[in-house]
Amino acid sequence: MNHTAKAAASTNVILPGGTIGVLGGGQLGRMLALAGRHMGYRFVVLDPTPDSPCGQVADEQIVAAYDDAEAARRLAAKADVITYEFENVDAGVAAMLMAESYVPQGSELLHTTQHRLREKRAIEAAGVRVAPYEEIRSAEELRAAVARFGTPCVLKTATGGYDGKGQWVIRSEAEIDEAYATLSKARTELVLEQFIRFEREISVIAARSPRGEVKTFPVAENIHVDNILHLSIVPARTTEAVCREAEKLAEKIAASLGVVGLIAVEMFLTADGELFVNELAPRPHNSGHYTMEACATSQFEQHVRAVCNLPLGAAALLSPVVMVNVLGEHVQPLLDWLGAQTAEPDGLAVKVHLYGKHEAKEKRKMGHVNVLTSDIDGALAWIEQTGIWAKEIGHWNK
Ligand code: AMP
């Protein structure tokens, strides 16, 4: 145990052999533990579901609710450093952990990214643009803001939204009352955003260590289907100048917010090369799964290095790659394909990752496949030709 270290956060180094405590036992925690175990770290995870994806590969799982402060205290007692794999960490648990253990990521970044309005203000304070927005407190305010922004525009809840939940694209004034009545049920502030007619969605994951070292991963181009990430394509199909600018914005945000660990920055890119930040996530991100085989250091190893205060790893791209998500409905077709495969497809390295979830519900993230290639179009054609992602076909041909 090394709890005295909390006083010296900027100099505290957790060496391999130490124990990393993870709040949350989903796939992000699992891949974090797999990366950290290679280096010799031990893992203890807290998650309410027994045999969770992370619990299966950790040294120990504490089975308890995320807001169970007593269980979090047990986690803290076993760990030299605590990290989390989701951003909706209970405020009481976060405060307790901050007081009683070493949480290099702090709780302020969580507080910021748990709330869209706070997050947007923090991004603006870093000198980075977001889509024009307004806080909405009543149906009248919404009506006035829709008149200013024009339609379409997007109404979002300030907290609790993910994968497109908690938002409503308002396409005509006739929808205003219903949109307000529906989203205001969430009992959180609402925010109206101007609709950005983006050409592409891209993301950059930046890592920052307690010493202030910052490294960014190559820009990913992300294609969503039904608001869920379907593909990441790296390098992104845009110019070098846009990529450098996107990386610079992510670095600025990481430094300005005093990030420790990872911050994923999702952005809209318009046809004339303008970038608007949409969202932040202070953790490993689905759009960074491509790094597992395609970069010199994966996002998961980088996060371990950052929270343990080791030097950050080289983030260079070793091979172009397409990451494709495996949702519940894709699992059986993928397994059928894998079982029938007699040889690796020509010119591709196909890396299958499955998260060990027990139930393959539709739309649930069950795994992903990284397709390494020297020919992105060839990889996209292969993904289409397997038939595994039949429903999503055609979304990337832009
Ligand atoms: P979010 O939950 O904020 O990540 O939004 C989910 C998806 O909705 C994004 O990935 C975009 O495709 C779309 N979207 C969200 N906000 C906007 C916006 N202001 N303009 C255009 N599209 C948006």
Side-chain angles (χ1 to χ4, degrees):
M1 244 38 49
N2 195 8
H3 293 166
T4 51
K6 68 186 169 197
S10 62
T11 53
N12 189 21
V13 176
I14 312 293
L15 290 172
T19 299
I20 300 176
V22 186
L23 217 45
Q27 65 265 24
L28 301 177
R30 176 188 180 94
M31 291 183 273
L32 192 70
L34 288 171
R37 291 192 80 143
H38 277 291
M39 302 169 74
Y41 288 100
R42 304 182 71 89
F43 282 83
V44 51
V45 56
L46 188 154
D47 193 275
T49 310
D51 197 40
S52 66
C54 181
Q56 291 165 25
V57 303
D59 295 270
E60 186 184 341
Q61 177 176 343
I62 296 171
V63 179
Y66 297 130
D67 60 358
D68 181 337
E70 192 279 323
R73 187 170 280 128
R74 273 190 282 141
L75 178 78
K78 288 172 187 275
D80 297 302
V81 56
I82 301 271
T83 185
Y84 47 79
E85 60 126 44
F86 59 90
E87 53 265 64
N88 289 319
V89 177
D90 177 81
V93 164
M96 191 282 296
L97 289 174
M98 290 300 293
E100 297 193 15
S101 60
Y102 177 48
V103 191
Q105 290 162 279
S107 60
E108 204 169 313
L109 184 61
L110 277 176
H111 181 73
T112 304
T113 54
Q114 278 169 353
H115 193 282
R116 281 189 195 274
L117 282 163
R118 289 200 287 265
E119 180 174 283
K120 287 179 190 302
R121 289 175 192 132
I123 296 166
E124 289 177 311
V128 174
R129 284 217 294 182
V130 296
Y133 66 96
E134 274 183 41
E135 182 176 353
I136 302 297
R137 294 178 216 83
S138 65
E140 292 63 46
E141 282 191 7
L142 179 59
R143 201 171 303 284
V146 171
R148 276 194 292 278
F149 285 151
T151 51
C153 51
V154 192
L155 185 65
K156 299 183 182 181
T157 56
T159 61
Y162 67 97
D163 287 345
K165 296 186 175 66
Q167 58 179 278
W168 186 300
V169 178
I170 299 178
R171 299 194 183 276
S172 78
E173 286 182 13
E175 293 177 29
I176 291 176
D177 287 333
E178 196 186 348
Y180 184 80
T182 305
L183 292 200
S184 57
K185 281 191 198 123
R187 303 205 162 279
T188 167
E189 288 101 322
L190 299 179
V191 51
L192 186 73
E193 291 177 17
Q194 190 177 316
F195 193 86
I196 304 294
R197 294 186 192 281
F198 55 81
E199 186 184 61
R200 298 187 190 284
E201 291 188 81
I202 62 172
S203 60
V204 176
I205 295 171
R208 186 171 174 278
S209 74
R211 317 169 196 222
E213 186 187 10
V214 177
K215 284 213 163 116
T216 56
F217 286 100
V219 177
E221 173 183 347
N222 301 318
I223 294 170
H224 298 85
V225 175
D226 296 338
N227 279 314
I228 300 176
L229 183 63
H230 171 45
L231 293 175
S232 295
I233 299 172
V234 189
R237 297 174 298 180
T238 180
T239 63
E240 272 293 302
V242 164
C243 290
R244 293 297 82 75
E245 178 65 14
E247 287 164 9
K248 231 173 58 200
L249 299 186
E251 279 172 25
K252 259 184 168 174
I253 290 171
S256 170
L257 272 67
V259 168
V260 170
L262 300 180
I263 184 104
V265 183
E266 292 186 76
M267 308 176 207
F268 299 133
L269 169 64
T270 65
D272 45 13
E274 280 186 295
L275 288 169
F276 297 90
V277 170
N278 176 33
E279 268 197 322
L280 306 179
R283 53 168 170 78
H285 193 256
N286 196 168
S287 70
H289 291 357
Y290 80 86
T291 61
M292 293 177 85
E293 286 96 6
C295 287
T297 305
S298 76
Q299 63 167 342
F300 300 101
E301 178 180 341
Q302 198 74 303
H303 185 75
V304 168
R305 286 178 179 238
V307 297
C308 291
N309 207 4
L310 299 180
L312 297 180
L317 191 68
L318 303 177
S319 164
V321 58
V322 178
M323 190 282 316
V324 53
N325 263 343
V326 175
L327 305 181
E329 60 271 35
H330 305 132
V331 173
Q332 198 51 51
L334 173 68
L335 294 177
D336 292 345
W337 169 80
L338 202 54
Q341 198 197 18
T342 51
E344 188 84 323
D346 245 2
L348 306 178
V350 178
K351 306 293 185 183
V352 173
H353 299 261
L354 288 170
Y355 306 146
K357 294 184 183 177
H358 293 291
E359 220 188 322
K361 284 191 213 141
E362 203 182 320
K363 301 270 181 253
R364 187 176 193 203
K365 290 178 181 172
M366 301 296 290
H368 68 273
V369 178
N370 284 338
V371 185
L372 284 83
T373 174
S374 56
D375 167 22
I376 292 285
D377 287 334
L380 293 173
W382 174 81
I383 289 168
E384 184 164 330
Q385 165 259 302
T386 63
I388 299 168
W389 295 276
K391 206 193 117 243
E392 290 80 3
I393 277 176
H395 283 272
W396 58 84
N397 294 329
K398 325 190 211 173

